[in-house]
Amino acid sequence: MSIISVRNVSYQYHEAGDQAVRNVSFDVEEGEFVAVLGSNGSGKSTLAKLINALFIPSEGTVTVCGMDTRDETKTWDVRAACGMVFQNPDNQIVATIVEEDAAFGLENLGVEPAEIRRRVDWALDAVGMSDYAQSAPHMLSGGQKQRVAIAGVVAMKPRVIVFDESTAMLDPVGRREVMQVVRRLNKEEGITILWITHFMDEAALADRIIIIDRGEKRCEGAPRAVFRQTGLIRESALDVPEMTALAAALRERGVMVSDDILTVDEMEAALKNIRAVR
Ligand code: ADP
Ligand code: MG
């Protein structure tokens, strides 16, 4: 059984308005790292809220760990199984000391203090923030703050975490820190990740990419297979990864490099194999 199942889902904010999400279907399997890639206004946040039962589909069905989000008796179980991390760390941090912030959700659930201690220590360690347990969040960098926000979600032991553009406000160092932490949570803790982004280089790290454009799913597949479709990517108002675009331009000019190059290292390797012909 898929951990997330989205079946023919549409969502409309207002009766008269356009559908923000239109007949979208996909599945996420336990342990996967799936990226949802789309430009501004394409429906990504609407989709995230549909998965977390913040919104109920106008049409179609969303199932999380076998629970239909339409079933109101399951709303809290859906949110416990599926954590959310948003864009702005400042809006997610509620306490004045890091470890208290990470404990906040558990305290609200009435978890006993010894268990809270264990889970908070584990969660701060999982995000590499143990050394800052006693620090004041406002003294931290953006990347560190976002990792504290992630620790608060991880401490709740969700099976899935949905990240909605969680690096968009961070500098390059912060983005890298957060990406590394999220990959570790996926590989080492087995947490399923739905990574929503408009950054190509981040999506390239996923097992699978889903592109959405104007509320509709445009394509789905392994990063290399998706990035090869340069026309579709540009139509979706996204940038083709630089090295993929360079490879396509070289091929158009008769330089036969592979059409699935993503990184500088791969481009370098491909060019080393080309002999000058004259
Ligand atoms: P993204 O997260 O990809 O930028 P959103 O899901 O936020 O996209 O928005 C998708 C579409 O829904 C956009 O056209 C946006 O204007 C519209 N929309 C988003 N939030 C609301 C709202 N609260 N009321 C009406 N329309 C909205
Ligand atoms: Mg958004």
Side-chain angles (χ1 to χ4, degrees), residues 11-14 18-21 38-49 55 164-165 196 212 215:
Y11 187 82
Q12 208 165 359
Y13 281 94
H14 305 291
D18 287 342
Q19 288 174 327
V21 168
S39 63
N40 197 15
S42 57
K44 302 184 298 298
S45 294
T46 308
L47 196 56
K49 288 169 186 159
F55 294 164
D164 187 1
E165 304 223 43
I196 295 175
I212 63 166

Side-chain angles (χ1 to χ4, degrees), residues 3-253:
I3 197 156
I4 296 174
S5 166
V6 176
R7 278 284 154 277
N8 303 107
V9 167
S10 299
Y11 187 82
Q12 208 165 359
Y13 281 94
H14 305 291
E15 254 174 58
D18 287 342
Q19 288 174 327
V21 168
R22 224 177 303 170
N23 196 26
V24 169
S25 299
F26 63 87
D27 287 288
V28 177
E29 304 305 326
E30 178 119 51
E32 263 195 307
F33 188 140
V34 175
V36 172
L37 184 60
S39 63
N40 197 15
S42 57
K44 302 184 298 298
S45 294
T46 308
L47 196 56
K49 288 169 186 159
L50 284 161
I51 290 168
N52 198 238
L54 285 166
F55 294 164
I56 301 304
S58 311
E59 290 162 38
T61 307
V62 175
T63 323
V64 175
C65 301
M67 297 176 279
D68 187 332
T69 59
R70 199 172 271 117
D71 180 351
E72 284 170 17
T73 66
K74 294 281 167 40
T75 302
W76 293 105
D77 293 334
V78 167
R79 292 193 193 148
C82 178
M84 285 270 264
V85 178
F86 298 96
Q87 193 175 86
N88 189 343
D90 290 326
N91 295 345
Q92 299 172 82
I93 286 174
V94 289
T96 51
I97 295 175
V98 162
E99 66 175 14
E100 284 174 11
D101 193 83
F104 187 77
L106 295 172
E107 273 164 5
N108 276 352
L109 289 180
V111 176
E112 59 156 304
E115 175 68 7
I116 293 182
R117 178 82 267 157
R118 267 195 299 277
R119 290 226 221 155
V120 166
D121 288 346
W122 165 70
L124 288 176
D125 184 50
V127 302
M129 287 298 288
S130 298
D131 293 347
Y132 296 87
Q134 302 301 326
S135 301
H138 73 269
M139 301 297 286
L140 303 176
S141 71
Q144 290 171 328
K145 277 192 241 183
Q146 195 61 300
R147 287 191 280 150
V148 173
I150 295 169
V153 173
V154 167
M156 313 285 277
K157 297 216 168 206
R159 286 171 68 191
V160 191
I161 306 180
V162 178
F163 292 86
D164 187 1
E165 304 223 43
S166 302
T167 60
M169 299 187 69
L170 306 180
D171 61 19
V173 174
R175 279 180 62 198
R176 211 172 314 125
E177 286 171 16
V178 167
M179 282 309 291
Q180 274 169 359
V181 159
V182 171
R183 291 177 78 188
R184 195 190 314 146
L185 291 173
N186 178 244
K187 297 280 172 286
E188 289 170 25
E189 305 296 341
I191 300 174
T192 306
I193 306 291
L194 192 65
W195 183 261
I196 295 175
T197 187
H198 65 267
F199 291 121
M200 282 291 169
D201 53 340
E202 292 182 357
L205 301 172
D207 299 324
R208 187 150 59 87
I209 296 179
I210 295 165
I211 291 188
I212 63 166
D213 176 35
R214 283 161 282 186
E216 290 183 72
K217 184 171 97 174
R218 292 279 175 240
C219 74
E220 177 175 358
R224 281 172 210 288
V226 168
F227 289 144
R228 213 175 281 151
Q229 302 179 55
T230 50
L232 183 144
I233 288 172
R234 291 207 174 92
E235 275 166 35
S236 302
L238 295 163
D239 294 322
V240 176
E242 281 177 348
M243 287 303 129
T244 308
L246 179 54
L250 287 170
R251 286 172 65 81
E252 272 169 30
R253 285 160 185 74

Side-chain angles (χ1 to χ4, degrees), residues 246-248 250-251 254-261 267 270-271 274:
L246 179 54
L250 287 170
R251 286 172 65 81
V255 182
M256 281 303 128
V257 293
S258 159
D259 66 354
D260 63 2
I261 289 172
M267 179 59 84
L271 291 178
I274 290 175

